[in-house]
Amino acid sequence: MDLVTVRTVRTPSHRDELALDPGERPLAGGTWLFSEEQPGLTGLVDLTTLGWPDVERSPGTLTIAATCTIASLLRLAPDDDWRAWPLVEQCANALLASFKVWNAATVGGNVAVGLPAGAMTALLCTLDAVAVVWTPSGGSRRLPVAELVRGVRTLDLGPGEVIRAFEVPTAALRATTGYRRVALSPHGRSGALVTARWDASGFVLVVTAATPRPLVFRSTTVPSAAELDAAMAAHDDWYDDPHGSPDWRRAVSTRFAHELRDDAASAGGAS
C-alpha cells in the first residue's frame, strides 16, 4: 500500500541520527507497515542502513538484530548441540509467508507489531530471549520479550525507544522444544500457537495467537496434568476475532499444552 501521508524517509548511519521526530516511525522490513493505512505517519527512519550484523555469537549468548530477516535467521548454521533450532523454522512457517516475504520481514518487526499471531514473539519467548531497547538518551535497557509485548499492538516501549536486538541464551538453545499450531483454515492466521521448552533446569510453556499477549507458564519440573490444568484455567484473557472464539482458543490451547507436557514427561523432562 502507498503511504500517502509520508513526506520524508531518513537513512541514518549512526545512532545519533536515529532520534525520531513526531510522526516518524522506524522502518525495517515494512511488511506490516506497508500493508495498511498508517494514520498520522509522516516520516520513516530506515533501521537497515545502520548496518547491524544479523546475528552475533558470544559465550553464552546468540544476539539477533532487530533488522535480521527471517530468511537470514533460517540460513544460520546452528551449533551441533542446539536441539531447539528446529523451532525457528516451525515458527517461521507459522507465519504462512512465502520465502519472498521471509527475505524482507524482520524478526524485530514481527515482534514490534505486537499482534497475537506474531510467531517470532512465540519463538523468542520460548527461548527466554531478552530484548535490548535503545533509549533516546543514548542508553539502553533490557527486558524479557515476554514482558515487552503487553497486548495487541501494545509494547513496553517509551517515546523514541527502538528495539535494537534480542539476546538468546545458548543454554535455552540446547534444550528440547515442542510446537503445536492450529488455524480455522489451512492457510489462515494462527488461532492458537503453543510452544514449550524443557531440559534438566525446568519446563517452559508459551501460548500465543490465542491470547492478546504471550502467556508463559514455568515449572522447575514437568508439571502434573492437574497443575497444568490449574494454570490454564487461571488464565481468563483469550483473544476474540474472526480467526477463533475465546472458548475454542482456550480449549485447543489447553489440549496442546497437555500434549507438550506429555512429550516432556515421556522424554524424561526436567528433574
Side-chain angles (χ1 to χ4, degrees):
M1 171 179 286
D2 291 334
L3 300 177
V4 297
T5 60
V6 171
R7 296 292 179 264
T8 61
V9 178
R10 295 197 291 115
T11 55
S13 58
H14 301 285
R15 180 174 179 176
D16 57 7
E17 301 172 348
L18 187 56
L20 300 177
D21 293 329
E24 287 186 326
R25 290 191 199 173
L27 169 67
T31 53
W32 174 79
L33 198 60
F34 287 97
S35 70
E36 60 181 60
E37 186 179 0
Q38 304 293 337
L41 179 65
T42 59
L44 297 172
V45 180
D46 190 348
L47 301 181
T48 64
T49 61
L50 289 163
W52 297 337
D54 285 339
V55 294
E56 298 174 276
R57 300 178 192 237
S58 61
T61 305
L62 174 70
T63 300
I64 304 170
T67 51
C68 176
T69 65
I70 294 171
S72 294
L73 186 61
L74 288 168
R75 285 194 294 266
L76 178 66
D79 288 358
D80 292 340
D81 61 350
W82 288 4
R83 292 196 299 272
W85 199 249
L87 188 64
V88 176
E89 185 171 359
Q90 289 171 326
C91 287
N93 281 311
L95 297 171
L96 293 176
S98 74
F99 69 92
K100 292 180 286 186
V101 175
W102 286 352
N103 284 323
T106 61
V107 177
N110 188 252
V111 174
V113 173
L115 293 177
M120 293 297 103
T121 300
L123 170 69
L124 294 169
C125 288
T126 308
L127 297 177
D128 277 350
V130 170
V132 180
V133 177
W134 275 2
T135 62
S137 64
S140 63
R141 63 187 180 95
R142 287 168 167 77
L143 72 164
V145 174
E147 297 176 11
L148 174 65
V149 180
R150 306 298 298 169
V152 180
R153 297 189 183 180
T154 304
L155 273 72
D156 184 3
L157 289 179
E161 290 190 328
V162 173
I163 301 172
R164 165 62 181 86
F166 304 101
E167 295 175 338
V168 180
T170 52
L173 290 168
R174 297 188 185 104
T176 303
T177 57
Y179 166 96
R180 297 290 191 279
R181 175 190 176 273
V182 68
L184 290 178
S185 63
H187 300 291
R189 180 178 291 181
S190 298
L193 177 58
V194 184
T195 51
R197 188 189 90 240
W198 61 88
D199 59 12
S201 66
F203 176 86
V204 179
L205 181 83
V206 177
V207 180
T208 55
T211 51
R213 57 172 296 183
L215 170 62
V216 182
F217 171 73
R218 298 178 182 276
S219 176
T220 55
T221 61
V222 176
S224 68
E227 289 171 330
L228 188 56
D229 268 334
M232 297 297 287
H235 185 74
D236 59 1
D237 190 12
W238 299 91
Y239 197 47
D240 186 7
D241 74 353
H243 301 285
S245 69
D247 287 345
W248 174 74
R249 282 175 151 136
R250 179 198 294 272
V252 294
S253 297
T254 300
R255 172 186 169 184
F256 290 159
H258 278 281
E259 290 178 0
L260 293 171
R261 188 213 75 87
D262 292 346
D263 288 349
S266 63
S271 59

